[in-house]
Amino acid sequence: MADSSSTYQAGGSGDQPKKSIIPGFGRFKVALSTVLTMEIIMQLAYIFEYPNCLIDGLRKADTTTSCALLMVSGMEERGQIAPHDISQLLDSLKEIGNPGTASTVQELFLKHTDIPIEEEGAHSQGVIRERGHSEAENEATVDRDHDEPSQKTVGAPASSMSTMSPTSSSLMPIAPELMGHLMNSMTPPGVNIAGSNNVVNISCHVQSTGSVQLATSSSQLDPVPSPGPVPTPDHVPPPNQESDDTMSTFIQELKETGKALYDKIQPIPYIKDELDSVDKVFIEVGLERRVGKDSWKKLGSYHDIFPKEKGNPRIQIIEGDPGYGKSTLALQMVYDWCNEVSGSPFSGPDILICLNLRQLKGITSIAQAIKQCSLPFDSKLKLLDVEQLISKSNIWVIFDAYDEYPDQHNKVNFVMQMLKGKIGQHVNILLTTRSSCIPPALGARTGRIRLTGFDNAAQERYIRKVVTGDDEVVKKVLKHLNINPTLGVLCRAPLFSVMYAHLTHKGSMLHEISSVTGFFGHMISCFLSHTQNKLSGADESPENLQTHADTHAALDKLAFEALTSKMQQLVWDRTFFVGELGEVFYKLYVDVGILVEEKETHIPAPGKVPQHKTVVRFYHKLFGEWYAAYHLIECVKSRSYILPENINLYDLKFLFMFACGLDQPGGSQVIKLLGERKDGAESVVLCAPQLKEWSHDIQTTVRRIVSSGIDIYISDSRLLQQSTIQLLELASQHKIPISQVMLLESFSSVDPDSLPLVLRSGLCLPPLSTLKELVIWTEPGREVTVDEWTGILNYTNQCQLLKKLKFYWCLLPWMDSFPASLDNVEVVWAPWFCEYYSLRSGRWQNEDSGEILTRGAYDDLVTKFRERCSDTPWQERRRAERE
């Protein structure tokens, strides 16, 4: 048998022989080490983000050859090369400007393993699927009579050679730290090489034929174990039984781990004795699918995320604002698979795995991620087992919380490689993320789903299902959501809605809150108060507990520095955290539930013991933003403070909103800093309403923003739309002129009683006394009714400074006459591009030809409009209603 990946690998007495699928990989690793120069090794080490200790070890290697072998071992341990896939190494070599080396490595891999690598990063999973499982397994399980026999040399002197080539004969020393790894991969079956305690020196001899020779300075060898009786037909297991048993074990262990995830739902942080299974608390949130560049279509259920039609994207991005239930939705999918829920498409795949990307720092392959995070600590399945199982399965993977992924800025992270289709082309992928953190450069065939939160019906369903079935209590809880616009907007986010429902049911006065900061601050106070009452009389007095609750500067600083760094840190080692905060403070915040402990397992090199440690994180990233806001206030007290350029303002919008609501002077300075940034206008819109009073500086900043116009998009979150409306109202109250308000597909109707414009989100834009221009850009194909047209005109009458009124992409109704109030207002109507009409002297006039629009010409325009817009959703609904 030829080399490290020959038919059977040696084991202890009584071990069953284990099949190896990819022969020749050991020879490839040796050959790979001959083409890696020190410069290439260092570049790869940095691009793979190896820790400094490993980089130092590479530098201190005795020879280039030793360094190369150590690098090869490191790449294999971290999944950058594997017996079936070296595409990540090839991509990285090209990225650092070494396409020639990449080509050489690719040729060596093909020569030694017979596995071709496609240019676009096709991986061996696809290759093996093309060749067929039975063919690949047959090649791995038959004796290779035509291979050159390997040679075993004992006691040969070690030799140090500066170079080695697959076509030349040479001996080279191997670094001791590589010995165990190379022994496992290169020792022929049935041979166990060892010294009295350790093998002192091993050399590998590459013959001109390509076979590998091992030499050692020790002459002591363990006896060759007996191969055992030859299996008789009566003892031969049925075909594929071993494979089927392994798959059964894999699925069982995945379901055990999945149950541990979905069985510990904690709606309120401090209530730890009432954990629920996700199906007990899950309520469907609103979902929309992107159709076209800027249009979204409502979905009936999360069951519709993967369309049943063929040719639809196998990769779906699920986006949503903080607290909109992305992770809970992911856990419900896991529940469906584990329990084979009837009717759910998520019960269909062979394998469904949910990986929290927050936990995948430094992990370089999907198999490694599954082995480390989705299997029990004591799992008998090896990394190679996982690789084989997922390569031949119908597998769905949920990558949860891409916005918290520590390696998202690493260009060659395996998640991005899968999203781009360079590896794992047979895997269906669901990736959840904040709307502010969509992975870049995704293919056109990637689907986009967004969460729109709880509507009134969903809020009621949750209260009845989880909180109480008492009709009077339900009505009382829901009542305030309808009369308090701030609560109504906030509680569209399931996180806030759930906490509001539970705390209000327990007697909290959250319904009196009028700002985001007030809501969150009151919620935190409820958590702390409840925990203090529970702990009073135990180890600490109420006064001491209150002191610890109020003195959190160290936590503020940690949270701020972690969230505003280029690579956000969202998980800390428990020992470090306790050292920074103190044991009593730390324990209180864990008891409250603001901080959450988790067990983390790191699986090192094969054969080594897994390392377990306790890490800590915030219950939700929003809690981190709350405490970071306190530190930001301290920072801006220094007038010289400048916001770091790398901060994603939209991603951390709650941090800035909290800061503005917590401290009036500090908040004013925060808004000033935001206003000075090119990307700060939206943040000012969100933050300014949090201030109780507007200083002269704030008015100046707001004046600059509204002077260039304000847009309200249909795609804007309700929070952003609500904040925009509040900003416009406050600007109007402060007599600040508003140059333009543009409603981009967000207009719905006009309230005939109170005259505000009703948006499609359900929010209302009241008349603005200082508004100069109103632009209504409807969804394509819309036909405005006479009542809507009349209501819009009545609305404009309340805007004393209005000088321009424009309509785009809609059909206005025919009017025999127009009110005199429009004589001083410039009215423009464009039913489609390049067709403009102006209202002059009570008649529509074509701006190009100057012709007056007669009733007959209007009827022709209506016919033409409906033909041009026949495929728009609005016109499709119109035809369906008439039928």
Side-chain angles (χ1 to χ4, degrees):
M1 307 202 187
D3 81 337
S4 62
S5 298
S6 51
T7 306
Y8 295 116
Q9 293 178 347
S13 178
D15 287 350
Q16 294 295 322
K18 295 185 179 180
K19 297 179 181 179
S20 173
I21 281 189
I22 309 299
F25 186 60
R27 291 198 298 271
F28 164 71
K29 289 186 291 182
V30 175
L32 173 61
S33 69
T34 68
V35 299
L36 296 180
T37 65
M38 281 298 296
E39 181 180 3
I40 291 176
I41 291 170
M42 288 298 108
Q43 288 176 324
L44 289 174
Y46 283 114
I47 203 170
F48 290 150
E49 296 187 348
Y50 282 6
N52 291 333
C53 59
L54 182 53
I55 293 176
D56 289 342
L58 291 170
R59 287 199 182 103
K60 294 174 182 178
D62 295 335
T63 65
T64 300
T65 302
S66 297
C67 181
L69 285 167
L70 184 59
M71 185 66 186
V72 170
S73 178
M75 288 191 291
E76 183 180 21
E77 290 175 4
R78 288 163 176 77
Q80 284 121 13
I81 61 171
H84 59 272
D85 182 17
I86 61 166
S87 57
Q88 188 174 354
L89 172 60
L90 296 179
D91 290 343
S92 301
L93 286 170
K94 294 172 185 176
E95 185 175 349
I96 62 177
N98 282 278
T101 304
S103 178
T104 301
V105 172
Q106 185 170 338
E107 291 172 2
L108 290 171
F109 188 69
L110 176 60
K111 173 182 177 181
H112 292 293
T113 67
D114 293 328
I115 297 178
I117 298 292
E118 301 282 342
E119 282 300 318
E120 294 300 319
H123 66 319
S124 66
Q125 294 172 353
V127 174
I128 292 177
R129 287 165 65 91
E130 292 170 6
R131 296 168 64 200
H133 298 302
S134 60
E135 180 183 343
E137 290 170 356
N138 287 339
E139 289 179 8
T141 56
V142 298
D143 289 341
R144 303 192 175 276
D145 297 331
H146 299 292
D147 283 351
E148 292 293 336
S150 61
Q151 301 181 36
K152 298 183 284 288
T153 303
V154 180
S159 175
S160 176
M161 302 290 290
S162 59
T163 61
M164 182 184 73
S165 168
T167 60
S168 64
S169 178
S170 60
L171 287 172
M172 62 183 178
I174 299 179
E177 56 267 38
L178 286 177
M179 181 175 58
H181 179 72
L182 289 177
M183 289 281 288
N184 288 334
S185 64
M186 298 175 63
T187 304
V191 176
N192 183 8
I193 303 179
S196 56
N197 295 309
N198 295 294
V199 176
V200 177
N201 191 6
I202 293 180
S203 299
C204 73
H205 189 184
V206 182
Q207 304 279 9
S208 59
T209 60
S211 62
V212 179
Q213 184 180 39
L214 294 179
T216 175
S217 58
S218 171
S219 60
Q220 298 185 27
L221 293 177
D222 287 344
V224 177
S226 170
V230 177
T232 64
D234 293 337
H235 297 91
V236 175
N240 298 323
Q241 176 178 316
E242 181 180 352
S243 176
D244 291 344
D245 291 346
T246 305
M247 176 61 80
S248 297
T249 300
F250 186 44
I251 291 175
Q252 180 182 349
E253 291 186 350
L254 287 175
K255 289 187 175 182
E256 289 174 1
T257 307
K259 187 176 188 300
L261 290 175
Y262 70 68
D263 239 5
K264 298 188 298 184
I265 301 300
Q266 191 177 342
I268 303 296
Y270 63 77
I271 304 179
K272 300 181 181 181
D273 52 352
E274 299 179 14
L275 302 182
D276 287 307
S277 174
V278 68
D279 66 305
K280 302 297 184 185
V281 300
F282 178 74
I283 298 293
E284 289 230 31
V285 296
L287 291 168
E288 294 179 341
R289 182 192 309 283
R290 190 170 73 170
V291 288
K293 185 177 180 181
D294 296 310
S295 299
W296 298 81
K297 180 180 179 181
K298 186 175 181 179
L299 297 182
S301 166
Y302 73 99
H303 289 177
D304 302 326
I305 288 176
F306 276 115
K308 297 179 177 63
E309 300 82 5
K310 291 184 178 180
N312 282 292
R314 65 176 181 84
I315 300 175
Q316 298 286 347
I317 307 298
I318 302 179
E319 60 184 270
D321 276 350
Y324 265 62
K326 300 180 290 293
S327 295
T328 303
L329 176 60
L331 291 178
Q332 180 63 37
M333 295 171 183
V334 174
Y335 175 88
D336 289 358
W337 180 72
C338 291
N339 294 277
E340 301 178 15
V341 174
S342 176
S344 172
F346 296 97
S347 64
D350 298 335
I351 297 170
L352 185 142
I353 296 166
C354 182
L355 294 167
N356 192 309
L357 290 175
R358 182 183 64 243
Q359 301 173 342
L360 302 191
K361 183 176 182 180
I363 292 180
T364 56
S365 73
I366 180 65
Q368 184 186 3
I370 294 169
K371 171 66 175 168
Q372 182 160 321
C373 301
S374 295
L375 296 179
F377 297 154
D378 57 351
S379 174
K380 302 300 182 183
L381 296 175
K382 302 186 183 304
L383 187 61
L384 185 58
D385 295 328
V386 176
E387 291 173 344
Q388 294 173 8
L389 291 167
I390 64 176
S391 71
K392 56 186 179 183
S393 304
N394 173 19
I395 177 172
W396 291 17
V397 174
I398 303 170
F399 289 124
D400 187 29
Y402 179 81
D403 53 290
E404 300 181 12
Y405 182 33
D407 291 346
Q408 62 179 269
H409 300 293
N410 180 357
K411 295 181 180 179
V412 292
N413 70 73
F414 82 93
V415 175
M416 185 55 65
Q417 298 294 307
M418 293 184 70
L419 292 175
K420 291 182 177 180
K422 293 186 176 182
I423 58 175
Q425 293 94 337
H426 69 295
V427 179
N428 281 341
I429 298 174
L430 281 162
L431 181 140
T432 73
T433 185
R434 285 192 179 191
S435 301
S436 58
C437 190
I438 304 297
L442 295 176
R445 293 189 55 76
T446 299
R448 292 275 292 276
I449 307 290
R450 71 178 181 187
L451 278 62
T452 58
F454 275 178
D455 58 13
N456 291 339
Q459 290 166 343
E460 181 174 350
R461 286 198 302 272
Y462 179 86
I463 295 170
R464 291 188 181 280
K465 180 177 181 179
V466 183
V467 182
T468 179
D470 188 313
D471 288 342
E472 291 302 317
V473 176
V474 172
K475 290 178 182 178
K476 177 182 177 182
V477 173
L478 291 174
K479 174 184 175 182
H480 300 291
L481 295 179
N482 297 322
I483 63 177
N484 186 328
T486 300
L487 273 181
V489 170
L490 273 178
C491 290
R492 280 294 178 124
L495 174 71
F496 291 128
S497 183
V498 166
M499 293 191 178
Y500 166 79
H502 284 276
L503 293 176
T504 301
H505 179 54
K506 293 180 180 295
S508 170
M509 303 298 288
L510 275 171
H511 60 271
E512 299 178 355
I513 302 303
S514 60
S515 71
V516 174
T517 308
F519 181 96
F520 212 86
H522 189 82
M523 186 175 67
I524 294 283
S525 296
C526 289
F527 295 170
L528 289 167
S529 175
H530 179 277
T531 305
Q532 288 167 8
N533 291 337
K534 185 172 68 174
L535 296 178
S536 292
D539 298 330
E540 292 281 333
S541 66
E543 294 77 14
N544 287 341
L545 289 172
Q546 187 63 48
T547 300
H548 289 302
D550 294 340
T551 308
H552 43 73
L555 180 62
D556 304 341
K557 186 172 185 290
L558 276 175
F560 182 80
E561 291 177 348
L563 291 172
T564 58
S565 62
K566 183 176 181 180
M567 298 179 64
Q568 291 186 353
Q569 181 179 359
L570 301 168
V571 178
W572 294 266
D573 180 82
R574 182 191 185 280
T575 303
F576 167 79
F577 222 68
V578 172
E580 293 292 314
L581 305 180
E583 184 70 44
V584 176
F585 179 96
Y586 175 83
K587 186 177 184 304
L588 172 63
Y589 274 69
V590 169
D591 288 336
V592 171
I594 293 173
L595 296 178
V596 177
E597 291 184 341
E598 292 179 340
K599 297 295 183 182
E600 187 176 275
T601 302
H602 173 67
I603 299 178
K608 294 188 177 179
V609 178
Q611 300 170 356
H612 310 293
K613 67 176 181 179
T614 301
V615 295
V616 60
R617 61 173 176 85
F618 284 102
Y619 173 82
H620 192 282
K621 190 175 176 180
L622 284 173
F623 287 81
E625 293 184 56
W626 172 261
Y627 287 99
Y630 282 95
H631 188 73
L632 176 59
I633 292 170
E634 293 301 312
C635 290
V636 298
K637 288 180 179 179
S638 168
R639 294 289 175 171
S640 60
Y641 179 77
I642 300 175
L643 289 173
E645 285 296 324
N646 62 281
I647 288 182
N648 183 331
L649 299 183
Y650 186 73
D651 180 48
L652 297 177
K653 58 180 176 285
F654 280 97
L655 190 161
F656 298 106
M657 293 170 70
F658 291 152
C660 292
L662 286 170
D663 184 82
Q664 179 76 28
S668 298
Q669 184 63 15
V670 168
I671 289 180
K672 183 174 181 294
L673 292 173
L674 293 172
E676 293 170 353
R677 288 180 53 136
K678 294 180 180 179
D679 58 345
E682 186 173 294
S683 296
V684 172
V685 170
L686 288 165
C687 292
Q690 300 298 311
L691 294 173
K692 295 178 180 179
E693 298 178 3
W694 280 11
S695 65
H696 176 73
D697 287 344
I698 297 301
Q699 292 187 43
T700 300
T701 300
V702 172
R703 187 184 302 274
R704 184 171 66 252
I705 289 174
V706 300
S707 66
S708 58
I710 295 292
D711 299 337
I712 301 179
Y713 291 84
I714 178 59
S715 58
D716 289 343
S717 67
R718 282 175 58 90
L719 177 62
L720 178 56
Q721 288 188 3
Q722 175 68 16
S723 298
T724 302
I725 292 170
Q726 290 177 324
L727 180 81
L728 292 170
E729 287 186 275
L730 291 169
S732 185
Q733 292 171 14
H734 285 83
K735 308 300 181 185
I736 298 175
I738 304 167
S739 65
Q740 181 193 79
V741 170
M742 183 180 294
L743 305 181
L744 291 157
E745 299 189 28
S746 55
F747 169 76
S748 176
S749 60
V750 182
D751 189 319
D753 298 324
S754 55
L755 291 184
L757 300 181
V758 181
L759 305 184
R760 289 169 68 182
S761 63
L763 299 175
C764 294
L765 177 66
L768 303 170
S769 61
T770 61
L771 177 62
K772 293 184 176 182
E773 179 178 343
L774 176 63
V775 180
I776 298 179
W777 195 303
T778 71
E779 63 271 38
R782 174 163 183 165
E783 299 184 16
V784 177
T785 67
V786 173
D787 289 341
E788 290 170 343
W789 170 246
T790 303
I792 292 171
L793 297 183
N794 290 335
Y795 174 88
T796 59
N797 288 337
Q798 307 301 312
C799 303
Q800 293 91 339
L801 297 185
L802 190 75
K803 297 299 180 185
K804 294 181 181 180
L805 177 61
K806 298 179 179 180
F807 298 88
Y808 293 99
W809 270 117
C810 62
L811 182 66
L812 295 181
W814 175 260
M815 302 289 289
D816 292 320
S817 61
F818 293 89
S821 59
L822 291 180
D823 292 345
N824 297 322
V825 178
E826 177 186 345
V827 184
V828 176
W829 168 37
W832 56 79
F833 288 119
C834 302
E835 188 80 11
Y836 295 92
Y837 295 89
S838 295
L839 189 64
R840 293 176 181 158
S841 302
R843 291 290 182 266
W844 289 112
Q845 181 178 5
N846 188 294
E847 289 194 350
D848 291 332
S849 66
E851 296 179 355
I852 299 298
L853 186 68
T854 64
R855 180 58 193 254
Y858 174 81
D859 291 341
D860 292 339
L861 186 148
V862 170
T863 301
K864 188 176 181 181
F865 178 86
R866 289 174 176 170
E867 289 176 351
R868 292 177 65 106
C869 302
S870 61
D871 60 346
T872 62
W874 203 97
Q875 286 293 326
E876 289 176 353
R877 290 195 300 271
R878 184 187 71 85
R879 290 195 297 271
E881 290 170 359
R882 289 177 176 249
E883 293 172 356

